[in-house]
Amino acid sequence: MEVRVRFAPSPTGHLHIGGARTALFNWLFARKNKGLFILRIEDTDEKRSSEEMVRGILDGLSWLGLDWDEGPFFQSEGVNRHRELALRLVEEGKAYRDFSDPGADPDSYLSYRDLSLPESDEAAAAGKSFAIRFKVPSVHIGDAGNRDLFALVRGNGLHFVLIRVSSTYLAEEGFEVHLVETSPTIGGKMAKLDRTFPTDDCSI
């Protein structure tokens, strides 16, 4: 199998030491294994991304001598595709729309987990804002009874968000890793997965 690794910085700030480290590890892995180093710009956070930061990232990588084999690709070009894929997961029962209001109880999203697809479609068609979350299964754990599988894996138990109301920048990472056949994926923890509520009112 051909090695295809990627560095996917967000142009919402300057290239920092952590990003440079991730780029370096991916670049070294690609070169050692005669693979490809792909550069993808995660620019789907429209409010904070800028051309100046994109140029700074490109210049920084070039200064470090980390040349890329494919790209730079821009995530904003695939927004419609990412939304279609997320909505397909909803239709297949693998994800669900979360209509929680900003400022609501942190667990309020669970009330939408088992909302029927027709009810969910109706609410969306009526213009109610929503995020899309993975539908995480429950498992039976002895005397503890049914427990959310995600809560067992991650301490806070939140079902992580695929798409926020304002953008797709949480979903595109997983979708693009699959679509461009990236293997393996080398990176750091993505803390943004726990951000639950949208702060604006833009519908998918």
Side-chain angles (χ1 to χ4, degrees):
M1 174 191 258
E2 180 184 46
V3 168
R4 294 172 58 83
V5 293
R6 62 90 186 100
F7 176 52
S10 174
T12 55
H14 298 286
L15 179 67
H16 53 77
I17 189 65
R21 179 196 62 182
T22 298
L24 175 62
F25 286 173
N26 278 275
W27 183 86
L28 288 172
F29 191 83
R31 296 296 173 259
K32 180 179 186 300
N33 293 282
K34 296 181 171 52
L36 298 177
F37 177 56
I38 303 166
L39 178 60
R40 192 178 73 239
I41 305 296
E42 294 187 1
D43 61 338
T44 51
D45 188 347
E46 298 177 359
K47 290 184 176 180
R48 300 191 300 149
S49 297
S50 72
E51 288 292 333
E52 178 185 359
M53 293 303 169
V54 171
R55 176 46 53 193
I57 289 169
L58 299 180
D59 289 346
L61 292 175
S62 296
W63 182 81
L64 290 168
L66 305 181
D67 56 319
W68 50 92
D69 303 301
E70 293 183 9
F73 301 114
F74 291 85
Q75 287 305 112
S76 57
E77 298 172 356
V79 165
N80 291 334
R81 174 176 53 182
H82 301 147
R83 286 175 174 154
E84 290 172 3
L85 290 171
L87 289 171
R88 184 191 303 174
L89 291 176
V90 172
E91 293 171 358
E92 295 175 352
K94 298 172 182 174
Y96 62 97
R97 295 185 181 93
D98 169 14
F99 296 98
S100 299
D101 294 321
D105 185 279
D107 293 329
S108 62
Y109 70 90
L110 290 172
S111 63
Y112 298 104
R113 182 187 184 282
D114 296 316
L115 194 67
S116 71
L117 184 57
E119 291 174 308
S120 178
D121 288 343
E122 183 178 354
K128 189 168 178 58
S129 298
F130 61 88
I132 294 180
R133 293 179 180 271
F134 270 122
K135 183 176 286 187
V136 181
S138 295
V139 292
H140 189 78
I141 308 294
D143 295 336
N146 290 329
R147 297 290 304 279
D148 188 307
L149 183 61
F150 210 60
L152 298 175
V153 176
R154 306 178 74 237
N156 59 23
L158 293 175
H159 295 182
F160 68 80
V161 178
L162 274 169
I163 286 184
R164 296 173 70 190
V165 173
S166 58
S167 71
T168 64
Y169 77 98
L170 296 175
E172 48 80 20
E173 171 67 16
F175 290 148
E176 284 300 314
V177 164
H178 171 71
L179 292 170
V180 303
E181 299 181 342
T182 304
S183 177
T185 299
I186 305 170
K189 177 182 176 183
M190 187 175 182
K192 296 174 185 174
L193 294 177
D194 293 340
R195 295 184 184 175
T196 312
F197 300 112
T199 56
D200 51 11
D201 195 21
C202 174
S203 128
I204 294 177

